[in-house]
Amino acid sequence: MTVGLKTWECLPSTDSAESSTNSNSAPNLAELAPTKSSENFNNLLNNIEPIASSTSSSSSINDNSHSHNISALKKHLKAPAKSGRNHAGAKYLASQYTSVKRAFEISSLSVSIPLMFLNLYFLLFYFDIRKWYFIFPAAICGILTADFLSGIVHWAADSYGSVEMFLVGKNLLRNFREHHIDPTAITRHDFVETNGDNFAVIIPALGYIAFKFMYNSVEQIMLDYNWLMYLFLLSVFVTMTNQVRI
């Protein structure tokens, strides 16, 4: 009789007399394998070469298949992680988060948050009740634009460049690459590490809005008010893209 590891359990004997004496069947690998790793376990079994052996009794067949099953299970459990925080690549990328990067993120928040409150003050100061109807469409457009732009950036960071690239590699691309190897890494980051890059990106837009409010005439501000409101709300929603993703 021929036995192969590509089956979940030993092939049953076609001999009725032999089947009646085969009371102790080999353990089922599906029951031995951890539930969360069932897909990887199936892949492991598919890659194992079939093992053939000829025996004269069903008891020896069961013993051999049992030992092969346990051997395959142990090999599967000792295999290196294919993803998650224990993956070698995830550990390497996490180690590339430097004190310089941390200082940059703290500086970004220190600049952008005051600018956000300054622009909010100007928007409220120049708010015209007759334009209340524009706030809701501006907010919706800001959300959609922020989502679209974050998708474009995410795709580009996943598709091009490497972590070893000068300046942008470890400071920008590293975050996206780590997310794909260890999807839950972002949930273990604090507010600064999670949102620092997003707050850095909006500083030019917030600076532009503040400049318009401080140096333009009242008439020009009222003409540009709807555009400035949209740009401000867009900036706010950009800062939330990573936080909402958690």
Side-chain angles (χ1 to χ4, degrees), residues 129-141:
I129 191 64
R130 292 172 297 180
K131 295 185 177 181
W132 65 268
Y133 59 87
F134 181 76
I135 296 179
F136 181 73
I140 296 299
C141 291

Side-chain angles (χ1 to χ4, degrees), residues 94-238:
S95 69
Q96 299 305 301
Y97 183 69
T98 63
S99 57
V100 175
K101 171 66 171 174
R102 181 76 175 186
F104 170 77
E105 292 170 343
I106 293 175
S107 300
S108 299
L109 270 76
S110 301
V111 173
S112 58
I113 290 178
L115 281 174
M116 289 178 68
F117 282 104
L118 177 63
N119 288 328
L120 179 61
Y121 164 78
F122 283 132
L123 288 169
L124 293 176
F125 181 82
Y126 289 104
F127 177 70
D128 187 349
I129 191 64
R130 292 172 297 180
K131 295 185 177 181
W132 65 268
Y133 59 87
F134 181 76
I135 296 179
F136 181 73
I140 296 299
C141 291
I143 293 174
L144 295 176
T145 306
D147 186 61
F148 175 76
L149 292 178
S150 66
I152 293 294
V153 172
H154 202 140
W155 167 79
D158 289 343
S159 305
Y160 301 100
S162 71
V163 180
E164 304 304 324
M165 286 182 64
F166 174 72
L167 192 61
V168 299
K170 295 180 180 179
N171 294 318
L172 177 63
L173 301 182
R174 180 194 68 86
N175 299 339
F176 295 94
R177 306 300 166 85
E178 181 187 21
H179 171 72
H180 286 281
I181 298 177
D182 183 8
T184 61
I186 193 173
T187 63
R188 299 189 298 273
H189 297 168
D190 61 7
F191 183 84
V192 175
E193 186 176 358
T194 301
N195 303 290
D197 291 336
N198 291 26
F199 277 86
V201 168
I202 66 170
I203 289 177
L206 293 177
Y208 169 80
I209 297 171
F211 176 85
K212 286 287 189 180
F213 277 122
M214 289 188 292
Y215 294 101
N216 282 0
S217 63
V218 176
E219 292 78 10
Q220 187 62 42
I221 289 174
M222 298 310 296
L223 289 175
D224 296 338
Y225 186 86
N226 291 349
W227 161 248
L228 297 176
M229 173 67 78
Y230 161 75
L231 198 58
F232 174 77
L233 293 176
L234 170 61
S235 300
V236 171
F237 293 127
V238 165

Side-chain angles (χ1 to χ4, degrees), residues 34-144:
T35 303
K36 64 180 181 180
S37 304
S38 59
E39 182 179 356
N40 292 338
F41 193 69
N42 290 338
N43 293 335
L44 173 67
L45 292 179
N46 290 334
N47 292 327
I48 296 178
E49 292 296 331
I51 300 177
S53 63
S54 299
T55 59
S56 58
S57 64
S58 59
S59 59
S60 60
I61 294 175
N62 291 333
D63 292 340
N64 289 338
S65 60
H66 176 76
S67 63
H68 291 318
N69 290 344
I70 297 301
S71 176
L73 179 61
K74 288 181 178 180
K75 182 179 178 182
H76 165 66
L77 295 177
K78 292 180 179 179
K82 294 185 177 181
S83 63
R85 64 191 304 178
N86 293 324
H87 187 277
K91 292 180 179 180
Y92 169 75
L93 292 174
S95 69
Q96 299 305 301
Y97 183 69
T98 63
S99 57
V100 175
K101 171 66 171 174
R102 181 76 175 186
F104 170 77
E105 292 170 343
I106 293 175
S107 300
S108 299
L109 270 76
S110 301
V111 173
S112 58
I113 290 178
L115 281 174
M116 289 178 68
F117 282 104
L118 177 63
N119 288 328
L120 179 61
Y121 164 78
F122 283 132
L123 288 169
L124 293 176
F125 181 82
Y126 289 104
F127 177 70
D128 187 349
I129 191 64
R130 292 172 297 180
K131 295 185 177 181
W132 65 268
Y133 59 87
F134 181 76
I135 296 179
F136 181 73
I140 296 299
C141 291
I143 293 174
L144 295 176

Side-chain angles (χ1 to χ4, degrees), residues 1-16 18-20 22-29 50-53 55 57-66 68-69:
M1 180 179 296
T2 301
V3 179
L5 276 184
K6 286 195 173 182
T7 57
W8 284 108
E9 52 190 356
C10 293
L11 294 175
S13 174
T14 56
D15 188 352
S16 59
E18 193 176 34
S19 299
S20 61
N22 186 14
S23 57
N24 297 321
S25 59
N28 192 329
L29 285 182
I51 300 177
S53 63
T55 59
S57 64
S58 59
S59 59
S60 60
I61 294 175
N62 291 333
D63 292 340
N64 289 338
S65 60
H66 176 76
H68 291 318
N69 290 344

